[in-house]
Amino acid sequence: MNANTTQITTTQRIKAIVGGSIGNLVEWYDWYAYAAFAIYFSNSFFPESDLNAQLMNTAGIFFVGFLMRPIGGWMFGSIADRIGRKKAMTLSVLLMSFGSLLIALTPTYDTIGILAPALLLIARLLQGLSVGGEYGVSATYLSEMATEDRRGFYSSFQYVTLIGGQLIALGIQLVLQKLILTETQLENWGWRIPFVIGAILSVIALYLRSNLHETEAFENKKDVNDKKKGTIKELLKHPQALLTVIGLTLGGTLAFYTYTTYMQKFLVNTVHLTKEQSTLISFVSLFIFACLQPVFGGLSDKIGRRPLLLGFGILGTICTVPLLTALSHTTSMWTAFFLIMAALIIVSGYTSINAIVKAELFPSEVRALGVGLPYALTVAIFGGSAEYIALWLKKFGAEHYFYWYITACILFSLLVYVRMKDTKENSTLDKD
């Protein structure tokens, strides 16, 4: 390979990583804007007097959105394996844009009655379909575009942008809270602003993704029989890889959604901090969390993926109950911040490398489907139900059982980590 070709390939790779990551960021911003602003719009769609009941209703729709993710994982995974990663990513961001716009424009319950929560549900189902496909396709794309010795580092940017989407949502919330709108204005109409912004950002991401390069791994398999690409039948020929994805995801996704998506509500509803305080803590902790992902991802390129997973599994099993118990009893913002930060450092052992680990388990012709579908199924069941289960247990005065539930799920994943091979040394990406 001549120097000029190497330079072009390197340039294309960097452009692809940046473009794919920015598109991923916009997708997840749209997804998390719902969670971040639920404390403001819940009474617009569910006019209950009790805050916990309103949050349970919005959490219920959040969960239903997760149920669409396996369908999205299957649909977009098949598209990515059959006609290309680039086209699948472009379609997914277009669908997300439509879902955000629908939420922004839906009238309240007082205006159109039961149609309001019905339209909210439809919008969330479309977003669930989109984000369900986004994970597997973008994880595959970033993994295939990375160089062999930097796969952990480059693929970690999927969670940098995933967390970044949350940060933008929270950042917009902080600006609206502190500089532009009163709490009453936010509850009446201000909560619509982030969804309008999401729709606009999606159009920008759509443009970026339409100009991306396809991966060599996909191009090299263009001559493979289409019947072997992106089908469930072909995927089922890899049962061990499928079960490994489910097992390694279970505890990690539950911990991730507890300390990120649900934590803002936990700080308001259980710790009894103000909405502004909880938003600020969430923003700062998530920013540091995002910065940690490339550090952990780069570390996995040096020492392997398995040590990081084992670290998360062991520390998560031991520390979850003490951390959440201490957090539920604190009254200090700083104490809450450091406890959450400790939890997020532990979770980084999973989040930073889970995308590359899954991509390294499957061959190119079913990689996007193999990464996306079993992951989406596991996240739908355990990640999507996390805050609903937590709020349900709180309603009955048994919130501490949720802490043990997380611990049990992490322990199950730890058993998978102990038994699995290090994918860095046994990567299917090396065969592309």
Side-chain angles (χ1 to χ4, degrees):
M1 185 177 288
N2 61 47
N4 187 48
T5 304
T6 304
Q7 181 61 43
I8 292 173
T9 303
T10 302
T11 302
Q12 289 177 349
R13 180 179 290 113
I14 293 172
K15 181 181 176 182
I17 296 294
V18 172
S21 296
I22 291 174
N24 193 50
L25 182 146
V26 173
E27 280 257 1
W28 289 98
Y29 163 79
D30 286 335
W31 179 253
Y32 282 121
Y34 181 99
F37 283 84
I39 53 177
Y40 289 109
F41 69 72
S42 57
N43 65 339
S44 295
F45 294 96
F46 306 101
E48 301 267 354
S49 58
D50 177 57
L51 174 62
N52 198 67
Q54 291 174 348
L55 290 176
M56 281 187 69
N57 283 324
T58 50
I61 287 185
F62 189 75
F63 175 52
V64 172
F66 269 86
L67 295 181
M68 292 299 288
R69 290 178 66 163
I71 300 174
W74 163 73
M75 187 172 80
F76 285 100
S78 295
I79 292 171
D81 288 328
R82 284 175 177 271
I83 66 173
R85 320 314 193 196
K86 171 186 167 181
K87 290 180 181 177
M89 291 195 299
T90 303
L91 287 171
S92 71
V93 80
L94 183 63
L95 192 61
M96 179 63 77
S97 175
F98 183 74
S100 290
L101 195 59
L102 185 57
I103 294 176
L105 299 177
T106 297
T108 64
Y109 186 92
D110 290 340
T111 305
I112 60 171
I114 195 67
L115 275 176
L119 287 172
L120 181 66
L121 176 61
I122 291 170
R124 201 59 183 167
L125 292 177
L126 291 175
Q127 288 190 323
L129 194 68
S130 171
V131 85
E134 171 66 23
Y135 176 86
V137 181
S138 62
T140 298
Y141 186 79
L142 291 174
S143 299
E144 290 178 349
M145 292 301 287
T147 54
E148 182 180 347
D149 60 336
R150 305 297 300 276
R151 286 173 183 157
F153 175 77
Y154 281 122
S155 64
S156 72
F157 280 90
Q158 184 182 40
Y159 261 79
V160 172
T161 52
L162 191 155
I163 300 161
Q166 243 179 312
L167 282 171
I168 294 174
L170 288 172
I172 289 172
Q173 189 174 50
L174 280 170
V175 170
L176 292 176
Q177 284 174 342
K178 295 185 176 296
L179 301 177
I180 300 176
L181 302 177
T182 65
E183 184 156 334
T184 301
Q185 289 173 325
L186 270 170
E187 290 178 352
N188 289 341
W189 56 269
W191 58 265
R192 297 182 186 274
I193 294 173
F195 296 104
V196 173
I197 293 172
I200 295 169
L201 289 175
S202 294
V203 174
I204 297 171
L206 185 65
Y207 169 77
L208 290 172
R209 286 192 161 177
S210 66
N211 289 283
L212 291 179
H213 295 278
E214 188 54 83
T215 69
E216 287 184 15
F218 176 78
E219 296 288 355
N220 291 341
K221 294 294 179 76
K222 271 193 170 181
D223 294 333
V224 173
N225 189 333
D226 280 347
K227 292 182 179 178
K228 290 188 175 183
K229 290 182 180 179
T231 64
I232 298 294
K233 181 180 179 181
E234 193 67 22
L235 182 63
L236 291 175
K237 294 180 181 179
H238 306 276
Q240 185 175 352
L242 279 169
L243 293 173
T244 300
V245 170
I246 292 170
L248 73 88
T249 301
L250 194 153
T253 191
L254 181 57
F256 173 75
Y257 278 98
T258 297
Y259 293 119
T260 58
T261 306
Y262 175 61
M263 192 46 56
Q264 193 183 9
K265 299 178 186 66
F266 183 84
L267 291 174
V268 173
N269 214 19
T270 297
V271 185
H272 303 298
L273 298 179
T274 66
K275 291 175 183 177
E276 290 77 10
Q277 288 174 325
S278 68
T279 302
L280 183 60
I281 290 173
S282 296
F283 184 86
V284 176
S285 61
L286 285 173
F287 177 78
I288 298 172
F289 184 41
C291 294
L292 288 174
Q293 302 311 296
V295 177
F296 278 77
L299 181 62
S300 80
D301 289 324
K302 301 292 184 183
I303 67 173
R305 325 294 185 211
R306 193 165 170 266
L308 270 68
L309 292 173
L310 288 172
F312 160 67
I314 293 169
L315 292 173
T317 301
I318 295 171
C319 300
T320 297
V321 173
L323 281 172
L324 286 173
T325 301
L327 187 59
S328 67
H329 289 103
T330 189
T331 56
S332 164
M333 271 187 67
W334 280 107
T335 302
F337 167 74
F338 284 118
L339 288 170
I340 293 170
M341 213 50 251
L344 290 174
I345 290 170
I346 293 171
V347 175
S348 292
Y350 162 80
T351 54
S352 60
I353 59 168
N354 80 94
I356 186 62
V357 169
K358 291 159 191 169
E360 288 175 327
L361 289 169
F362 295 95
S364 175
E365 56 267 24
V366 290
R367 184 171 292 138
L369 182 62
V371 173
L373 180 56
Y375 169 83
L377 280 167
T378 310
V379 171
I381 296 168
F382 295 95
S385 64
E387 64 177 73
Y388 191 84
I389 291 172
L391 290 165
W392 183 78
L393 288 170
K394 180 177 177 59
K395 182 179 179 180
F396 292 100
E399 192 172 27
H400 60 285
Y401 287 132
F402 181 64
Y403 313 158
W404 287 104
Y405 167 61
I406 300 168
T407 301
C409 289
I410 295 175
L411 177 60
F412 180 87
S413 288
L414 175 59
L415 297 177
V416 174
Y417 305 151
V418 169
R419 295 175 60 87
M420 70 184 286
K421 294 179 180 179
D422 196 318
T423 57
K424 179 178 181 291
E425 307 301 329
N426 302 273
S427 176
T428 59
L429 289 163
D430 294 332
K431 300 174 184 179
D432 292 339

